[in-house]
Amino acid sequence: LFTKRATFQHWNWPMTMSCCSCAKHLLIFFNLIIWLTGGAFLSCGILVLFKRDLNELFSLLSHDSRLIPSFHNIGYILVGVGALIFIVGLLGCCGSVRESRLLLGLYVFFIILVMGGELIIAMYTVLLSDEWDARLPKTLQKRILTYNYSTPQRFERDLDGVQRQFACCGIDGPLDFQYNLDYKLFDRHLPPSCCMSLLNGICIEVDAYRTGCYQAVNDHIHFYSKLIVAAGLSIALIELTALISAVCLCRNTLYDDDFD
């Protein structure tokens, strides 16, 4: 019986080493991709924090909303997630090159943590879509009723920036301003940001953008959301493959860690 077991182990040894080598190279390759993904998240977070037109857009959308986070929070979340993914990718590369059970074990723990965080973000996005479709347009339309032509505050400045950036007017269109008090006081003139060209410094309804800002921003976000979903699924598949490879490599590592 002992002879048969030893013969089986001897026959199974090359297959084990081959699988271990394959898992090692797969892990290095996928972690290089994860490492670059972390750098991309960091770059996007820094861009979100310092790009002015995005600041105006997210500031406008976060008015009177409990679910939509403030602009700077989004930037900080992207920077934090990017830094964590960057460290996890580096940890996976080092653990696979050294074939260290300690580093690979830490890598498996953190990759599960990252995937759990991504699942939470996905669930939060579902809640955010309900807020976006149901409550946000009505909330912004109510705010337009108090749009101040004479002394613009934060909301007015944010809306003006979005209207110029997306070539839109109001939430559903220029008619959103018809019940505004200043619209009547200023002889039915629209805010200057609603027009591409002004007549004697005045924006009239005939020259105003016909598209509402909700539709313009919605089309913009839906276009990029498809790219984000595709990228997210690709990253999740890469992380899952890297997780399986790390577990296989950790189980088949024969040597204890030696950091001397």
Side-chain angles (χ1 to χ4, degrees):
L1 181 62
F2 177 77
T3 305
K4 288 183 179 180
R5 182 178 298 175
T7 303
F8 175 76
Q9 289 178 348
H10 178 74
W11 174 81
N12 197 42
W13 173 261
M15 183 180 296
T16 302
M17 292 303 295
S18 177
C19 292
C20 185
S21 177
C22 180
K24 176 179 178 179
H25 288 91
L26 276 176
L27 192 58
I28 293 173
F29 173 73
F30 285 123
N31 273 285
L32 287 175
I33 299 177
I34 293 174
W35 198 48
L36 293 174
T37 303
F41 271 94
L42 276 172
S43 302
C44 290
I46 294 172
L47 181 67
V48 164
L49 286 175
F50 293 100
K51 194 166 176 60
R52 184 178 177 181
D53 53 352
L54 289 177
N55 195 339
E56 293 170 343
L57 174 61
F58 279 97
S59 180
L60 176 67
L61 297 180
S62 60
H63 276 290
D64 300 327
S65 175
R66 296 180 179 179
L67 288 178
I68 299 178
S70 67
F71 176 79
H72 285 91
N73 288 343
I74 293 175
Y76 293 136
I77 290 171
L78 286 173
V79 169
V81 170
L84 179 60
I85 294 176
F86 192 84
I87 294 171
V88 168
L90 187 62
L91 193 66
C93 287
C94 294
S96 57
V97 170
R98 292 183 60 93
E99 296 187 16
S100 166
R101 286 185 176 179
L102 175 61
L103 294 179
L104 289 172
L106 288 173
Y107 173 77
V108 170
F109 170 75
F110 280 115
I111 203 74
I112 292 175
L113 193 65
V114 169
M115 294 179 71
E118 291 170 348
L119 180 61
I120 293 173
I121 292 174
M123 295 171 62
Y124 172 79
T125 305
V126 174
L127 294 176
L128 192 61
S129 63
D130 294 336
E131 169 87 355
W132 175 269
D133 294 329
R135 295 184 54 188
L136 187 62
K138 296 179 181 178
T139 302
L140 294 177
Q141 283 175 343
K142 290 180 181 178
R143 292 297 301 268
I144 281 185
L145 297 179
T146 60
Y147 183 98
N148 195 317
Y149 283 48
S150 305
T151 54
Q153 302 298 321
R154 179 184 172 186
F155 173 78
E156 286 79 6
R157 290 192 295 268
D158 293 336
L159 182 59
D160 287 341
V162 171
Q163 288 180 153
R164 291 190 184 98
Q165 179 186 353
F166 291 94
C168 57
C169 183
I171 304 305
D172 292 326
L175 293 179
D176 290 339
F177 287 93
Q178 65 181 347
Y179 298 109
N180 181 280
L181 181 61
D182 283 357
Y183 175 78
K184 299 175 182 178
L185 291 176
F186 282 80
D187 196 21
R188 302 176 67 86
H189 295 157
L190 293 168
S193 58
C194 276
C195 292
M196 181 180 295
S197 59
L198 302 176
L199 180 62
N200 297 325
I202 296 173
C203 176
I204 58 177
E205 190 172 334
V206 177
D207 298 329
Y209 300 120
R210 310 316 301 173
T211 305
C213 289
Y214 178 75
Q215 179 183 344
V217 173
N218 204 30
D219 293 342
H220 194 72
I221 289 179
H222 279 179
F223 172 75
Y224 284 103
S225 64
K226 293 177 182 178
L227 299 178
I228 293 172
V229 169
L233 290 175
S234 301
I235 293 171
L237 183 62
I238 290 172
E239 289 172 345
L240 182 61
T241 307
L243 177 64
I244 296 172
S245 300
V247 172
C248 292
L249 184 60
C250 188
R251 290 189 62 184
N252 290 291
T253 298
L254 302 177
Y255 306 103
D256 294 330
D257 296 316
D258 185 10
F259 296 100
D260 297 333

